[in-house]
Amino acid sequence: MPRTNTDTGTDMSTDPDTDRSAPADTTASAAAHTAWEDLVTSALLGTDRRPPAFPGGGPAPADSAATAPAALLDAAALHTVRRRAGLLPARPGARPVPAAGDTRPPLPAAARRRLAQLLADRAAPSGGGRRGTTPDLTELIPQWLAIANLRGFRAPAALLPPLLDAARARTDLRPQALTFAGPLGLWLAGLNPEWKFALRSSSGGSPRPDTTDPRAVRRLWEEGLFAERVALLDAVRAQDPGAGLTLLATTWSTERAEDRLMFLDSLRTGLSGADEPFLEQALSDRGRNVRSTAAELLSALPASALAGRMAARATSCVNPDRTGGGASIAVEAPHECDSGMQRDGVVPVPPAGRGERSWWLGQLVEAAPLAVWHQQFAGRTAHEIVALPVADDWAGELHAAWCRAAVRQRNAEWARALLGAPSTPPSNAPGTASLAERSKLLVTLPGTERAGWVADFIAAHGLSEAFQLLGVCAVPWAGPLGRSVVDALDIARDAGSYPWSFSGVMGLAERCLDPVEADRLEVLTATQDEPEGASPGAGGYWSEAFQRLVSTLRLRAAMDAELA
């Protein structure tokens, strides 16, 4: 344990005469250092075993055994005061290069005050969860940033530190926060290690690349760390898909298999027929996952040679069957997974619980261009093909594969057919009962059509199964969708259910409803008489929830006006 001078608070284990900013090779500094080391040694061993050296180097007094401890502490205090009085100033470092200019207009005063309020509330304790009528300001920061960026404002310099702190704590804020922070925010991040994420293009830690200098791009691609190279390829690919492919091709044969997989994934951006020759070669790659990803990308190109090969295989397995007197679909799944199928990305070994033949069939149909089925079934539309009966209980496997194909090829016609009418119970849907898969199908539809489908689904089935579907709808929710959500919440309130059963939907509504709905919702804020059989206290909870919803919508309207 270090000994401490009780008068000065000096830690005896640390040399107070050591000044890192002063020259260390002077005789005075060396002597002071030696004296301090002697004092530390005496303190550790005890003054009875190692008496301290007294000033001047003369003999110790006769009563040194009694006075040595006090003399030791006096000497330590002297050294400490000497250091504090004789501290030399450090040499000034080079001034940082000033931040680049930002020509965006400044925030209006009201919007600036609002941002300060949102960022200050972020650090405040939450208090009581989702009870109460006060809006959750923290959840409004992303929306505020999105509006500010849309309208082209620049961040106030004084609010950049709390903004960067907020983005450090929440990765979902980072893209919008860094756009709003602009060059001054990046400049500040370079001076504070806690904000180094701002210098990265992704959470994986890759630096934000500069693609304007071809020689710098080439040098970074050949010499950079893996994460830096992935970020560079993404940036080049987004700017010029052909240049990105050329860059990748220069080192492809020397890359590790796991690195090739990540690089290949970058080709999803700007994928086109120009990438086919490279991807076709990747089908012979020594890495199984690389081959599988290359096959997936090629199957997303309906005109590719792989898509043609898959179409031939799939149509040999799925055919019209008129033997029963009416049109239906006959399925004969593959009996083997030959080397050609495996080269084209078909995984031979199924997951646990799946049969081999159904597993192979699903992969073939998923990778085949959807247009081939119109030819296979005499020009029928997607709706007509999906409605055909499928023999031998193959309907589930076939329709699920068509769903995956529609998502991969972003085919809205087939997505509509596989979704079916929103009023149809999910268990009887033509494509799949999985809400996760249906959400993917919805993404292929235009925004207005998507919102209308979900609104009709909620009207028919309520909110309990609609949460995932709401998550893919554009914000703010279109009028019919917003009204459908509010009506369903009102029905749940009248039924006496606890509102926390719908807390996820209520939170989405606060962020996604159109603020113009606030006045119409005012009537729902009153506390109703609880119906017979209702959960105790549910009426009060619902009143608070609707008051918070209305308050949040009005606050969002005020935020929008302040940023106008």
Side-chain angles (χ1 to χ4, degrees):
M1 176 183 296
R3 301 193 179 194
T4 304
N5 185 329
T6 56
D7 294 327
T8 65
T10 304
D11 184 349
M12 296 289 291
S13 65
T14 305
D15 185 355
D17 288 291
T18 301
D19 179 13
R20 296 178 181 178
S21 64
D25 57 350
T26 64
T27 304
S29 296
H33 182 74
T34 302
W36 181 260
E37 291 298 332
D38 288 342
L39 293 175
V40 171
T41 302
S42 296
L44 293 174
L45 297 178
T47 56
D48 55 339
R49 297 178 59 189
R50 176 70 180 270
F54 286 89
D63 60 346
S64 60
T67 61
L72 174 68
L73 296 177
D74 287 343
L78 178 63
H79 275 272
T80 301
V81 173
R82 178 191 302 158
R83 177 182 182 273
R84 292 175 179 173
L87 183 65
L88 296 177
R91 292 183 179 180
R95 290 178 176 270
V97 178
D102 192 340
T103 59
R104 295 177 297 176
L107 279 176
R112 179 187 175 122
R113 290 192 295 270
R114 180 72 67 191
L115 176 60
Q117 178 190 16
L118 296 176
L119 294 174
D121 188 77
R122 180 190 68 85
S126 58
R130 295 299 293 154
R131 288 301 306 274
T133 62
T134 304
D136 186 351
L137 299 185
T138 300
E139 292 303 316
L140 295 180
I141 296 177
Q143 194 166 90
W144 190 97
L145 289 172
I147 299 172
N149 287 331
L150 181 64
R151 301 194 177 155
F153 290 111
R154 74 168 183 264
L159 294 180
L160 281 174
L163 177 65
L164 291 171
D165 281 339
R168 177 169 64 93
R170 286 181 56 178
T171 56
D172 62 309
L173 289 180
R174 292 181 183 179
Q176 294 284 3
L178 295 181
T179 299
F180 184 57
L184 183 57
L186 293 179
W187 182 85
L188 281 176
L191 303 176
N192 185 347
E194 291 188 350
W195 300 330
K196 63 182 179 181
F197 70 87
L199 306 177
R200 320 275 177 167
S201 61
S202 69
S203 59
S206 51
R208 190 181 297 272
D210 177 13
T211 60
T212 59
D213 184 351
R215 287 196 295 182
V217 167
R218 183 73 181 207
R219 183 169 58 253
L220 180 59
W221 178 251
E222 294 177 348
E223 302 174 3
L225 300 174
F226 172 67
E228 295 173 328
R229 299 176 70 216
V230 171
L232 176 65
L233 181 59
D234 287 341
V236 173
R237 183 74 180 178
Q239 186 177 10
D240 184 347
L245 181 64
T246 300
L247 187 67
L248 177 58
T250 59
T251 60
W252 177 259
S253 61
T254 62
E255 305 287 357
R256 299 184 305 168
E258 56 268 32
D259 294 351
R260 292 199 303 276
L261 179 63
M262 291 293 294
F263 292 142
L264 199 63
D265 202 60
S266 298
L267 298 187
R268 297 181 189 277
T269 301
L271 182 66
S272 70
D275 302 313
E276 183 181 355
F278 181 86
L279 294 172
E280 188 71 30
Q281 288 184 347
L283 291 176
S284 302
D285 193 90
R286 58 185 180 273
R288 179 175 61 83
N289 290 333
V290 175
R291 297 194 301 270
S292 177
T293 301
E296 179 189 346
L297 294 174
L298 283 169
S299 67
L301 299 172
S304 68
L306 178 136
R309 295 193 295 271
M310 288 300 202
R313 295 181 180 116
T315 53
S316 69
C317 297
V318 181
N319 294 278
D321 180 11
R322 298 183 177 85
T323 58
S328 62
I329 299 177
V331 175
E332 180 66 26
H335 290 274
E336 65 173 341
C337 184
D338 58 34
S339 59
M341 291 169 61
Q342 293 183 44
R343 182 183 182 276
D344 284 346
V346 177
V347 179
V349 180
R354 288 288 301 272
E356 284 186 336
R357 297 182 65 198
S358 64
W359 171 245
W360 299 332
L361 174 71
Q363 293 180 79
L364 295 180
V365 174
E366 176 183 355
L370 288 165
V372 74
W373 302 113
H374 301 292
Q375 304 169 14
Q376 185 77 344
F377 291 94
R380 285 183 171 86
T381 65
H383 283 86
E384 292 170 339
I385 295 172
V386 169
L388 292 174
V390 183
D392 300 326
D393 297 324
W394 282 103
E397 189 67 47
L398 181 60
H399 288 174
W402 277 337
C403 286
R404 297 191 298 271
V407 172
R408 182 181 297 186
Q409 299 172 35
R410 303 192 64 81
N411 190 305
E413 179 191 1
W414 276 83
R416 294 186 189 99
L418 292 162
L419 282 167
S423 59
T424 303
S427 58
N428 297 330
T432 174
S434 167
L435 291 176
E437 294 299 322
R438 301 183 108 191
S439 297
K440 296 176 183 178
L441 290 171
L442 281 169
V443 172
T444 67
L445 304 181
T448 303
E449 182 181 356
R450 189 186 318 163
W453 195 96
V454 176
D456 292 342
F457 181 91
I458 293 172
H461 310 292
L463 287 170
S464 59
E465 298 191 32
F467 187 77
Q468 286 181 291
L469 305 181
L470 286 169
V472 301
C473 293
V475 176
W477 290 337
L481 177 57
R483 288 190 291 274
S484 182
V485 170
V486 172
D487 289 344
L489 290 171
D490 193 19
I491 291 171
R493 179 186 66 159
D494 290 341
S497 304
Y498 272 131
W500 53 67
S501 301
F502 302 92
S503 59
V505 175
M506 187 65 80
L508 272 179
E510 291 173 13
R511 298 188 297 273
C512 302
L513 269 179
D514 194 326
V516 301
E517 300 286 339
D519 290 341
R520 190 175 69 86
L521 297 175
E522 185 72 42
V523 67
L524 301 178
T525 61
T527 303
Q528 288 185 326
D529 294 334
E530 294 180 1
E532 183 178 354
S535 302
Y541 287 121
W542 276 110
S543 176
E544 285 184 2
F546 278 117
Q547 288 180 56
R548 185 172 59 247
L549 174 58
V550 171
S551 299
T552 303
L553 294 179
R554 286 177 174 157
L555 178 57
R556 286 175 50 208
M559 284 168 34
D560 187 77
E562 291 162 358
L563 286 165

